[in-house]
Amino acid sequence: MEPVVASPGFEGFEKRLEVEFWDPLGFANPSGLRAIPRNEIDTMLSAAECTIVSALSNSQFDSYVLSESSLFVYPSKIVIKTCGTTQLLKAIPLLLKSASFISLEACRCKYSRGTFIFPSAQPSPYGNFNEEVVILEKYFGHLGNGGKACVMSDASKMHNWHVYVAASEVAPLSSETYTMEMCMTQLDRSSAALFYKSPFYRSAADMTLLSGIRNLLPHSEICDFAFDPCGYSMNSVEGNAHSTIHITPEDGFSYASFETMGYSPSMLDLGSLVDRVLGCFKPAVFSISLSTAGLCHSQDAGSWGVPVCPRGYVCSGTTRHEMPGGSFVVYHTYTR
């Protein structure tokens, strides 16, 4: 095993774990995963090496801004994103144990991440996707015919998207949930500068407003957090949909991510949303990952099924894979 070296900067690219559950016996608490006690959530996050710094909920799900990214807890689904050198996969056994106490069993898992800026700084197994897949198969390989892993890339092979999906063939799955993730690097310096606390103090609310983030999904409710001396995270909630943003503004390894999940194509035009996000950060390089449980290839996908062509950028690669459970992942990469 290669030694882990000190990182010359903060790793912005997140590891993302999404696990969906079902109640095979009909005995589960009506609140589902939201009934997991806070102390168990804290223990699970501690294993992943992060903590809760802020929270926002509505009638349909709970969202938490973490010291390293975000957590979303729905009645039958949980999404955890962690950046830096966190060890996200260590949270899996604790999550499955907590779910079993309320009679829930995993029926689908999706794990994804981009190509790390500082791969040698990642602890084992995160520097090697094959080793990550071995751990995921240990916990979810029994679902359906086993999990499927793939690495999606652009022509330069510099910006890869690592995806693992496993899904049960008998459990009910959410068939109309669209997820869009953008990973942006080499941010415009003036845009990135907004996410530093100024000598006179710049609050998270100031950053949200001045950067244009408030206008991305104008009807959503936002929970934002500013880090010292720089950096920013936010979660938003709107009905059954969420979005989240995480920003590492330091020059040389600047990074911003934007994710939205739960909006239907009839509610949100993808091209317009991407344009608004790019207007906030003006990256030189970015990628888009679109995933769905099966409608991305149909006429119901609307703008979400059409290639996005932002003005001022060139698409350097597009890859599409069918994954277990009738899901699809489409990955686009762009350069200015």
Side-chain angles (χ1 to χ4, degrees):
M1 181 180 67
E2 295 183 0
V4 175
V5 299
S7 174
F10 186 78
E11 179 60 66
F13 277 95
E14 300 99 343
K15 313 166 183 86
R16 183 184 188 275
L17 178 71
E18 177 183 336
V19 185
E20 191 166 354
F21 294 83
W22 74 311
D23 177 12
L25 302 177
F27 296 148
N29 187 309
S31 297
L33 297 169
R34 300 181 74 181
I36 295 177
R38 172 63 183 267
N39 68 304
E40 292 183 22
I41 291 177
D42 289 337
T43 300
M44 177 178 64
L45 294 174
S46 178
E49 301 182 358
C50 55
T51 59
I52 293 171
V53 298
S54 188
L56 176 65
S57 299
N58 64 10
S59 62
Q60 302 192 52
F61 68 99
D62 305 312
S63 80
Y64 301 92
V65 175
L66 306 180
S67 55
E68 281 84 12
S69 297
S70 294
L71 165 68
F72 299 94
V73 183
Y74 291 79
S76 61
K77 177 168 53 187
I78 193 164
V79 179
I80 314 175
K81 295 183 74 166
T82 65
C83 54
T85 56
T86 50
Q87 303 212 46
L88 176 56
L89 299 181
K90 288 187 175 180
I92 293 175
L94 297 171
L95 168 62
L96 297 179
K97 182 178 180 181
S98 292
S100 69
F101 286 151
I102 50 176
S103 302
L104 294 176
E105 293 182 3
C107 63
R108 180 177 178 269
C109 168
K110 177 189 173 189
Y111 175 78
S112 60
R113 65 167 176 83
T115 299
F116 294 123
I117 300 173
F118 308 111
S120 60
Q122 290 293 319
S124 177
Y126 305 98
N128 186 317
F129 185 55
N130 290 332
E131 293 180 12
E132 294 170 88
V133 170
V134 169
I135 294 175
L136 291 162
E137 280 285 274
K138 173 183 175 182
Y139 294 109
F140 303 106
H142 65 285
L143 299 177
N145 294 319
K148 176 179 178 180
C150 62
V151 179
M152 309 169 79
S153 65
D154 67 0
S156 70
K157 307 296 183 183
M158 294 295 292
H159 302 281
N160 298 333
W161 192 244
H162 305 70
V163 186
Y164 168 91
V165 176
S168 169
E169 296 175 341
V170 296
L173 302 179
S174 299
S175 60
E176 298 181 359
T177 300
Y178 290 78
T179 302
M180 189 268 278
E181 298 172 74
M182 294 178 66
C183 297
M184 297 162 278
T185 57
Q186 302 176 47
L187 309 183
D188 172 76
R189 287 191 177 188
S190 60
S191 299
L194 294 174
F195 301 99
Y196 283 81
K197 288 187 174 179
S198 73
F200 303 101
Y201 186 75
R202 180 177 289 138
S203 69
D206 290 336
M207 296 176 184
T208 300
L209 186 62
L210 293 171
S211 64
I213 288 173
R214 173 62 277 179
N215 297 324
L216 295 178
L217 295 163
H219 302 296
S220 64
E221 184 178 0
I222 288 178
C223 177
D224 45 25
F225 191 88
F227 295 89
D228 288 317
C230 64
Y232 169 95
S233 289
M234 83 82 169
N235 291 342
S236 80
V237 303
E238 184 176 0
N240 199 44
H242 76 246
S243 75
T244 183
I245 292 174
H246 304 285
I247 303 164
T248 301
E250 292 95 327
D251 191 35
F253 51 92
S254 61
Y255 171 84
S257 66
F258 173 83
E259 170 188 322
T260 181
M261 184 176 79
Y263 289 97
S264 68
S266 62
M267 298 169 61
L268 201 58
D269 180 80
L270 182 63
S272 297
L273 177 61
V274 169
D275 285 342
R276 293 198 295 272
V277 174
L278 294 176
C280 291
F281 306 110
K282 304 177 180 66
V285 180
F286 76 96
S287 64
I288 297 177
S289 172
L290 298 171
S291 59
T292 181
L295 297 180
C296 187
H297 63 293
S298 75
Q299 59 183 7
D300 296 326
S303 64
W304 290 64
V306 179
V308 176
C309 301
R311 178 175 296 184
Y313 291 89
V314 175
C315 182
S316 55
T318 294
T319 313
R320 181 178 184 271
H321 279 287
E322 183 175 359
M323 305 300 283
S327 62
F328 289 83
V329 179
V330 181
Y331 182 61
H332 307 284
T333 53
Y334 301 85
T335 56
R336 188 161 55 201

